[in-house]
Amino acid sequence: MISKILVPSDGSIIAQKAANYAIYLAKQLKASIVALSVVDERSFTAPPVPASETAMNAAEPITDFLREAAEAYVKAIKVLCDESGVESFISIRMGHPVEEIAKEAKRSKVNLMVMGSHGRSALAATFLGSVSYGVIHNNKHIPILIVRG
């Protein structure tokens, strides 16, 4: 029986479509939603620059901005859940999205993941780093429902 659904979101239109689908499904099944957004730490790694050539704490505002964006993504899902009468929880993690999604699924003890996908081929996903592709191939225990764009 499905009682808890994980919905990872990067704020894209496809992720929003997956969230809407998950909320509809959760309402039908009387399940709850765990809305997750992962701040990808790789997005602000750069080659080393001498300290004399950088602004003080330059990385801090970038991480703050990315965290605020992630909070907005999951809060938008929470609002939709509240409007639909679906119980929801939010989670924001820092790290590699594929790994953090798997960790949150285990931590929250979800029965299903609902994710959006751009529908790239396996070859394109390998080079472009598709998160849904990575989650599908690294997850062996939790069913995953992919919503295409």
Side-chain angles (χ1 to χ4, degrees):
M1 177 173 190
I2 296 172
S3 61
K4 196 179 280 188
I5 302 170
L6 178 63
V7 183
S9 178
D10 62 1
S12 67
I13 292 171
I14 296 168
Q16 292 169 8
K17 184 177 177 182
N20 287 332
Y21 193 91
I23 293 166
Y24 174 79
L25 187 60
K27 188 170 184 165
Q28 302 305 312
L29 298 171
K30 296 179 178 37
S32 61
I33 296 280
V34 176
L36 169 67
S37 190
V38 179
V39 177
D40 189 347
E41 291 177 333
R42 297 171 305 166
S43 61
F44 49 85
T45 57
V49 178
S52 61
E53 296 179 23
T54 63
M56 301 240 350
N57 299 319
E60 199 169 325
I62 294 169
T63 57
D64 290 347
F65 172 78
L66 293 172
R67 185 162 184 80
E68 287 172 14
E71 287 174 7
Y73 304 152
V74 293
K75 285 180 181 175
I77 295 171
K78 182 151 184 59
V79 166
L80 292 173
C81 287
D82 292 346
E83 290 172 355
S84 298
V86 173
E87 183 180 21
S88 63
F89 309 92
I90 61 173
S91 180
I92 299 167
R93 302 285 174 209
M94 301 276 290
H96 185 269
V98 172
E99 293 169 6
E100 293 302 320
I101 290 168
K103 287 179 189 175
E104 185 62 38
K106 189 178 259 188
R107 186 179 307 123
S108 297
K109 298 179 181 165
V110 300
N111 314 94
L112 176 69
M113 287 188 247
V114 178
M115 301 180 65
S117 175
H118 295 290
R120 296 185 182 113
S121 68
L123 181 61
T126 301
F127 290 111
L128 298 173
S130 169
V131 173
S132 58
Y133 184 82
V135 172
I136 289 168
H137 287 81
N138 290 314
N139 174 55
K140 306 290 184 225
H141 306 299
I142 301 167
I144 304 169
L145 176 64
I146 299 296
V147 177
R148 293 258 172 145

